[in-house]
Amino acid sequence: MGRIKGALIGCGFFAVNQMHGWQDLPDVEIVAICDRDPERLRIVGDQFKTSRRYLSAEAMFADGGFDFVDIATTVGSHRALVELAASYKVPAICQKPFAPTLEDAEAMVKAADEAGIALMIHENFRWQTPMLAVKAVLASGAIGVPFWGRISFRSGFDVFSGQPYLAKGKRFIIEDLGIHSIDIARFLFGDASRMTARTARINPAIAGEDVATMLLDHDNGITSIVDVSYATKLPEEPFPETFVEVDGSEGTLRLGKDYRLTVHSSGGTKESVVAPNLLPWALRPWHNIQESVALIQKHWIERIASGQQPDTSGRDNLKTFALVEAAYLSAERGETIAVGDLLA
Ligand code: NAD
Ligand code: 89Y
């Protein structure tokens, strides 16, 4: 396959990482960008020397000339933009969270299926180097058969200065960050069918919940806890590290601060550091997330080149998104939610 041409919609806070990632892939070129904010369009266009610039996605699609589109806007525009891509039969990547509602997300998957295009949700956390290392240990059988797990993200980092919209939404941490942690739980432990959740808002300056504790019943019998907080003031700020604990029939795995991985079994205890690479354009502490952007983009290019759906396809991500919906419902009702009841 020759050089693959892409277009990007939404030149905001996070899209800069996506532009860097694409620039690093030798066979990919972003030929057009779009943002309804002329200033954001100018800044990103100048930084990455992209000459085709559009204030309207409709105008960009009408002109065409690209093989895929990367949608990096916030959630409210995702459905309309994915449906627009589908109407032009252009394969699409869509940032998380998938959509405002499960109904919207299901409609987007249907539109992509009917158009015969690949649709990937930019669910990059499972592509973080430490998560890939944990997955490899589990696959090796080193701790036997896992029966319990915990995915934990607890921080006091100020995410609101870079992403002010996070302080305004009725929903916050589950939809924004917990969605990644839930996806990691699915990645490591398989699909989950029941969700029990409790939430709290500690920071009085924001509208949504900033703490959530979730209990997942996985289909293979594993129980996992996914706990997330942006109200946790620690002596050493771990942002944006995800900690993982797994107990298995033959041993245990612990991924802790500074990417330290401990794998213990009857054969002994092995300690290693599974830190992400610091890409030339990356900035600490974001480098873990930034490297995962580059890795998921590489995966997308490989999959569209081979005509296959990516691992975090729209259809796959419905299962992560349904768990998010289930968590909000569970916290609201104080009940366990059967996830299958939510999906069409
Ligand atoms: P942002 O508000 O900084 O940027 C969004 C941009 O999209 C803005 O410049 C806005 O003008 C533009 N836009 C919105 N609707 C548009 C439309 N219909 N047509 C053209 N332009 C449009 O937001 P952000 O912080 O960059 O977040 C974008 C998305 O990325 C969010 O969904 C967020 O959850 C996600 N995100 C993902 C990660 C990750 O690790 N995967 C990290 C941070 C943010
Ligand atoms: O928007 C969020 C994400 O996806 O990763 C971290 C973040 O930027 C803030 O919670």
Side-chain angles (χ1 to χ4, degrees), residues 14 96 122-132 151 153 176-184 187 230 239-242 286 288-290 292-293 296 312:
F14 201 70
K96 48 61 64 176
H122 186 117
E123 180 42 81
N124 50 324
F125 273 39
R126 62 162 76 183
W127 286 96
Q128 290 174 5
T129 289
M131 294 311 134
L132 297 173
I151 312 296
F153 184 106
D176 170 63
L177 189 282
I179 196 166
H180 291 303
S181 318
I182 290 171
D183 190 69
I184 290 171
F187 177 57
Y230 269 129
F239 180 87
E241 291 183 48
T242 299
W286 289 88
N288 184 27
I289 293 180
Q290 288 166 321
S292 70
V293 169
I296 197 173
T312 59

Side-chain angles (χ1 to χ4, degrees), residues 8-18 34-38 40-41 54-58 71-78 80-81 94-98 122-125 128 162-166 175-177 179-180 286 289-290 292-293:
L8 178 136
I9 309 174
C11 299
F13 169 79
F14 201 70
V16 174
N17 299 311
Q18 293 170 226
C34 166
D35 199 299
R36 59 189 178 194
D37 176 341
R40 291 299 320 165
L41 191 63
Y54 295 85
L55 289 167
S56 132
E58 285 79 3
I71 300 166
T73 60
T74 39
V75 67
S77 50
H78 288 176
L81 293 172
C94 176
Q95 256 297 350
K96 48 61 64 176
F98 202 147
H122 186 117
E123 180 42 81
N124 50 324
F125 273 39
Q128 290 174 5
Q163 297 168 265
Y165 58 92
L166 294 178
E175 181 186 80
D176 170 63
L177 189 282
I179 196 166
H180 291 303
W286 289 88
I289 293 180
Q290 288 166 321
S292 70
V293 169

